[in-house]
Amino acid sequence: MAVHVLELHHHGVRVPLDKVEEARQFYAHVLGLQPDLARPEIPFVPGSWMVVGNPGKPTTQIHIMGTNGTPPPWAKSAHQDPTRFHVALAVEDIQETRAELDRMAIAYWVMEGLVGPQSLQVFIEDPAGNLIELHQIGTCRCDRSVVTAT
């Protein structure tokens, strides 16, 4: 078996703290993306979630994360830091996904409650060290059905 990915939800990009607004303006005015105004407050990480897709029909998001290059205090370490560049994918059931990763002996780490009370993010790395976030569909603002419903 393998983990069953349902959707691409977001791509996380880091920008220097003093470039957060400039980056938001770039994504809005150059690429025509709209900010997700319901982005939760993430301690020590200013930024914007930019919606990709036509109004009312989002396809994914780009998460702009302001950082000075050091992990926020809630990160597990410099390596286990969800503000690293990453791609986020939705899965049907995050607990089944964790069980499958365990079965395949794939190392992962978890963040709970960061972007909301139901938030459970599982992070893995591909063989080249690229960070991949997995989360349960319907629990992230970047889920098409959640964004469309608001």
Side-chain angles (χ1 to χ4, degrees):
M1 273 192 85
V3 171
H4 180 68
V5 173
L6 302 175
E7 294 178 358
L8 170 66
H9 274 184
H10 70 262
H11 182 77
V13 297
R14 282 178 134 172
V15 299
L17 290 171
D18 64 347
K19 297 283 187 183
V20 170
E21 181 56 24
E22 187 177 345
R24 188 191 70 74
Q25 293 290 331
F26 173 85
Y27 283 94
H29 296 295
V30 175
L31 299 178
L33 307 182
Q34 296 297 313
D36 178 349
L37 300 177
R39 176 193 185 263
E41 181 66 29
I42 302 172
F44 306 100
V45 185
S48 292
W49 290 358
M50 306 302 289
V51 178
V52 177
N54 293 324
K57 291 191 168 212
T59 58
T60 191
Q61 290 186 348
I62 296 173
H63 289 185
I64 301 168
M65 300 173 290
T67 176
N68 62 6
T70 58
W74 42 260
K76 296 177 184 288
S77 69
H79 191 72
Q80 293 184 346
D81 175 2
T83 69
R84 288 174 49 203
F85 293 105
H86 68 274
V87 62
L89 306 169
V91 297
E92 181 83 32
D93 184 311
I94 196 65
Q95 297 305 337
E96 287 179 13
T97 297
R98 289 176 77 176
E100 184 62 12
L101 292 172
D102 289 338
R103 186 192 71 73
M104 293 187 292
I106 302 295
Y108 64 89
W109 51 278
V110 175
M111 294 292 296
E112 293 186 65
L114 181 60
V115 295
Q118 295 179 347
S119 170
L120 176 63
Q121 299 158 289
V122 173
F123 292 89
I124 61 175
E125 290 184 0
D126 72 10
N130 295 299
L131 188 62
I132 300 165
E133 173 189 332
L134 303 171
H135 59 259
Q136 187 161 315
I137 195 161
T139 62
C140 177
R141 290 276 322 146
C142 48
D143 178 344
R144 285 179 231 165
S145 63
V146 173
V147 174
T148 304
T150 59

